[in-house]
Amino acid sequence: MNFFCHRSNFKTYPNTTFVLILLLFLIGTLFSCKKDKGMNHIEWQNESLSLTSDLCKKFRECADTDWKSIPENLKKFTEGRLDEANCQKRFRDSNAYKLIGHDPIEIQTVYKQCHKQVMEMKCSDLQSGKMNTISACVTFQTIQN
C-alpha cells in the first residue's frame, strides 16, 4: 500500500489523466483532418457532367479518324481514357467537379468557355494541339492541377 501512496513514485510518471486527454485530443485531431471534399452543388455537378460528356464524345470522334496511328500497346490505355464511363469517373474526382481550389464561379465560367470553344473546333485543330492556345482551357487546366 505504501508503494502506491509514496509521493516520489508519482514524480517519475506523468499524470495518466493528462496523458489520456492529450491522446484523445491528438486522435480527434487526426480524424478531423480530412481532405477537402469541396462543395455539394447538384446543379453544377449535373451541368458539368453533361459538358464533360460532350467533350469526351468530341475527343472520341476526333480520335477515331486517326485510330490507326496509335501504337498497339497504347490502344487499350487510350480507349480506356476515352470511354464514356471512365471519362465521367475521372471528372467526378476533379477539382472542377467539386469546385475546389479557386472561386467556384470562376471554375464554372472557365469550364463553360473552354467547352464552348473546344466544341467549335475541328478535329484537325484538336489533333494539332490548338486547344492549348485557348486561354480558358489553359486556365481550366491550372485549376485541375
Side-chain angles (χ1 to χ4, degrees):
M1 185 86 167
N2 279 343
F3 176 78
F4 290 107
C5 295
H6 196 273
R7 191 98 172 116
S8 64
N9 286 339
F10 286 109
K11 291 179 184 176
T12 60
Y13 298 104
N15 185 339
T16 55
T17 306
F18 175 72
V19 170
L20 183 61
I21 291 171
L22 183 63
L23 185 61
L24 289 174
F25 174 75
L26 291 174
I27 290 172
T29 303
L30 283 174
F31 284 113
S32 68
C33 292
K34 296 179 183 175
K35 186 178 178 184
D36 189 5
K37 292 186 178 192
M39 297 176 61
N40 190 17
H41 191 287
I42 301 298
E43 294 84 17
W44 166 248
Q45 291 171 342
N46 290 335
E47 181 182 6
S48 65
L49 285 175
S50 175
L51 297 174
T52 301
S53 179
D54 291 345
L55 290 171
C56 293
K57 183 178 179 186
K58 174 87 174 188
F59 293 139
R60 270 194 312 278
E61 289 170 357
C62 291
D64 285 343
T65 59
D66 282 340
W67 201 248
K68 293 178 181 114
S69 67
I70 297 174
E72 197 62 40
N73 61 344
L74 292 178
K75 280 187 181 179
K76 283 272 189 221
F77 174 76
T78 306
E79 286 173 342
R81 298 285 266 209
L82 293 176
D83 176 66
E84 180 70 23
N86 286 338
C87 188
Q88 294 284 342
K89 182 185 179 302
R90 287 180 54 80
F91 186 73
R92 280 188 179 96
D93 295 332
S94 73
N95 290 343
Y97 181 77
K98 298 174 184 178
L99 297 173
I100 298 173
H102 289 276
D103 175 44
I105 302 298
E106 178 189 7
I107 293 171
Q108 294 173 23
T109 303
V110 167
Y111 191 51
K112 290 174 189 177
Q113 290 171 351
C114 179
H115 170 270
K116 181 178 185 236
Q117 292 177 355
V118 167
M119 295 306 289
E120 292 172 352
M121 293 178 92
K122 298 176 189 170
C123 285
S124 59
D125 292 336
L126 282 174
Q127 291 166 348
S128 68
K130 288 190 179 176
M131 183 176 150
N132 296 330
T133 64
I134 300 172
S135 64
C137 294
V138 172
T139 302
F140 182 74
Q141 193 62 30
T142 60
I143 290 169
Q144 290 291 71
N145 295 331

